[in-house]
Amino acid sequence: ASLNVSLSNGGVTGRTVRLLSGQAAPAVVQLQRKAAALRDSMSLKQAELASIAALRQFWTQPPYMLNAPTVELLDELMSKLASDAEDKLAALIAKEGALKADLRVMETQAAALDADIAALGKENRTVRECVLDVKDTGDAPVTVRFSYWLNNAGWKPQYRIKTDADSDRVSIRMDAVITQNSGDDWQDVALTLASSDRLNDVMPPALGSWVINDVYDQNRLLRSARPMTADFAMSAAKAALPAAAQDSAGLTWALGRLDVPASASVTRLVSLHELATTFSRLARPGLSRDVWMCATLTDAAQDSKKLPLLPTGQASFLVDGRETARGPFSFGPGTRDIFFGVDQLMSVSRQELASQDSAQTMTSPDNDIRQWRWKTVVRNGHDRAVTVRVEENAPIARNGQTTIEVSTEPPAVLNADSSRYIWTLGLPAHEERDILYGVTARTPVPEAESGKKP
């Protein structure tokens, strides 16, 4: 069904596909031949075992008729025969054990072959013939190019991301894990990896409604947000690795020629990068009590012309040589942070001070006033000082007449690009720090509601 055909001359006007009944696919035939040869060998082993069992029975009670002129000579002859029988039995037992071990291995191999045949599925156990109807091909030879999807073959990226708390570098390694279950061993094939993270996203998302409020509710903004996944940017690779090529659909890596056995996986190093970063902890008290280990790319690492793109995959994250997290790795242009999981020795909590409601609302003759006040406590359980970055969303006025006042203690820096207030704190060992964050929004009351006459 996925077959696609193109001609160097002329065109295809139609095609007819028919089933060749009674004819197995070449991949199935190859596996069936292997299984039949293996079972023939197993039959020979079993016949040898039956022969050995008969010989053991014979040497256990050999039908001897012994004659000797004296009792001494008779004893000597019986001792020799008994010794010979014992040696023969020992050799037969050893041979029987080896044959049984060989049979166990062959039974495992036979089961694996049966599983490979079953993995091909019904569609690959038969042969189909495709007849093309063509026109305008001319008299010269025609080159036919065809392609198709092989559903039981593919690859996935696998990442290993390392840093040290006292280091200014992050190492990112991407391996490609290649698998195929076609039933045929791929030998010396030219392999190119292609990545399209959103292969099945054909349609863009629909536009939703835009409801304009007088004041953008800070708490609602926080509740609707989601913790950021690990976003990464890359530096130029230092090793001689497959270069990533870009086209309209995604990325490709030409790995050259290699072998990929059926029902197996092959792992190849594809990309290796080092980034200049600073290590810290990140807290977002409006979203979580957790504090995240974070490496932030320095300005020197932000040159987009030198940053390769990498597809989405699973990653193992390590700090100071110890694995701290496993999870998805995604790359977004313009992001600066690489997250290494939760720091279990730190926590952050936030308490609303204004009232039990989301905000305290007051009305003056001329203005509707809304106030929010929060107290955030950051705790360090480490035996050494750490740097913590605390982020809170900045309020946004949707009404042009609304004015907003913000107070912070200690002072915070407003990042206009992300619309966040940021505190950077040096936190000593086993200590905690408080942050106060207040917002006041004033919206003029319409004259008709304020009691004033026009």
Side-chain angles (χ1 to χ4, degrees):
S2 66
L3 183 65
N4 184 36
V5 182
S6 62
L7 308 179
S8 60
N9 256 345
V12 178
T13 60
R15 64 183 181 184
T16 302
V17 179
R18 67 187 182 95
L19 179 66
L20 303 181
S21 60
Q23 185 173 339
V28 177
V29 171
Q30 182 182 6
L31 290 174
Q32 289 173 339
R33 287 174 179 169
K34 288 182 179 179
L38 186 59
R39 286 190 168 87
D40 287 343
S41 298
M42 292 172 64
S43 297
L44 291 175
K45 298 285 185 183
Q46 288 166 347
E48 283 190 73
L49 279 175
S51 175
I52 288 175
L55 287 172
R56 285 185 62 185
Q57 180 67 27
F58 174 83
W59 287 106
T60 301
Q61 293 179 338
Y64 293 141
M65 297 294 293
L66 301 177
N67 292 308
T70 65
V71 174
E72 290 79 8
L73 289 175
L74 181 61
D75 288 342
E76 183 180 347
L77 181 59
M78 291 181 64
S79 297
K80 183 178 185 309
L81 290 174
S83 177
D84 291 344
E86 188 175 333
D87 293 342
K88 290 182 181 297
L89 283 172
L92 289 171
I93 291 172
K95 189 173 182 181
E96 184 180 41
L99 285 171
K100 287 182 176 180
D102 290 344
L103 269 175
R104 285 194 294 270
V105 172
M106 296 169 81
E107 287 169 355
T108 302
Q109 293 172 343
L113 284 171
D114 290 340
D116 289 343
I117 294 173
L120 291 177
K122 292 182 179 180
E123 296 301 320
N124 288 333
R125 293 181 186 175
T126 55
V127 172
R128 283 171 172 76
E129 180 183 74
C130 179
V131 179
L132 300 177
D133 302 321
V134 300
K135 69 172 185 178
D136 302 332
T137 56
D139 297 328
V142 176
T143 300
V144 180
R145 180 180 180 85
F146 64 93
S147 62
Y148 58 91
W149 292 100
L150 189 61
N151 293 325
N152 47 6
W155 76 282
K156 62 182 179 181
Q158 182 173 282
Y159 293 93
R160 184 177 176 86
I161 303 167
K162 300 189 302 181
T163 190
D164 294 330
D166 297 326
S167 172
D168 60 355
R169 311 293 293 179
V170 166
S171 170
I172 299 179
R173 172 192 175 113
M174 185 184 87
D175 290 320
V177 181
I178 307 159
T179 57
Q180 63 95 0
N181 293 306
S182 66
D184 286 326
D185 292 337
W186 296 356
Q187 296 181 346
D188 195 34
V189 295
L191 195 63
T192 298
L193 306 179
S195 168
S196 181
D197 286 344
R198 311 301 293 274
L199 185 64
N200 297 318
D201 290 350
V202 179
M203 299 293 292
L207 287 172
S209 302
W210 183 16
V211 179
I212 303 176
N213 301 319
D214 288 344
V215 177
Y216 202 94
D217 191 322
Q218 163 85 359
N219 278 352
R220 184 167 63 251
L221 175 63
L222 292 175
R223 287 194 298 270
S224 64
R226 294 290 182 269
M228 291 179 61
T229 57
D231 292 323
F232 304 85
M234 315 304 163
S235 65
K238 294 184 177 181
L241 299 171
Q246 298 188 32
D247 56 28
S248 59
L251 304 172
T252 59
W253 291 267
L255 300 188
R257 309 192 73 86
L258 69 159
D259 297 339
V260 184
S263 302
S265 66
V266 174
T267 302
R268 288 290 183 273
L269 173 62
V270 175
S271 188
L272 185 62
H273 311 285
E274 280 198 0
L275 313 177
T277 62
T278 56
F279 192 85
S280 64
R281 272 76 175 175
L282 173 66
R284 290 177 177 154
L287 299 176
S288 172
R289 294 178 60 89
D290 292 325
V291 177
W292 303 82
M293 293 177 285
C294 174
T296 302
L297 301 180
T298 64
D299 293 336
Q302 293 297 307
D303 187 352
S304 59
K305 296 180 180 179
K306 297 181 179 179
L307 300 181
L309 298 175
L310 295 177
T312 301
Q314 288 296 310
S316 174
F317 301 89
L318 297 96
V319 177
D320 296 333
R322 301 176 69 90
E323 187 176 52
T324 56
R326 292 187 183 186
F329 159 52
S330 60
F331 171 74
T335 55
R336 295 175 59 90
D337 294 327
I338 303 173
F339 296 106
F340 288 80
V342 174
D343 188 332
Q344 300 182 32
L345 295 179
M346 300 190 66
S347 66
V348 61
S349 61
R350 192 176 74 156
Q351 176 187 2
E352 189 169 350
L353 301 178
S355 68
Q356 298 299 318
D357 301 324
S358 61
Q360 183 178 13
T361 304
M362 299 174 289
T363 303
S364 68
D366 298 321
N367 294 284
D368 282 337
I369 303 173
R370 303 185 73 191
Q371 291 183 330
W372 297 262
R373 292 181 66 237
W374 297 279
K375 176 184 177 181
T376 296
V377 181
V378 187
R379 300 175 181 85
N380 176 20
H382 288 275
D383 292 329
R384 62 176 180 174
V386 299
T387 301
V388 185
R389 187 169 88 245
V390 181
E391 296 183 348
E392 290 274 17
N393 281 318
I396 303 172
R398 297 303 187 190
N399 186 333
Q401 295 181 322
T402 300
T403 60
I404 294 178
E405 298 176 1
V406 175
S407 62
T408 66
E409 180 59 39
V413 175
L414 174 63
N415 186 314
D417 294 335
S418 60
S419 189
R420 294 173 186 162
Y421 280 102
I422 300 175
W423 292 262
T424 302
L425 309 175
L427 202 57
H430 300 289
E431 291 194 13
E432 62 182 43
R433 290 283 299 276
D434 295 346
I435 295 175
L436 296 178
Y437 179 30
V439 176
T440 302
R442 291 182 172 85
T443 303
V445 177
E447 292 184 353
E449 297 179 15
S450 65
K452 293 184 179 180
K453 294 182 179 181

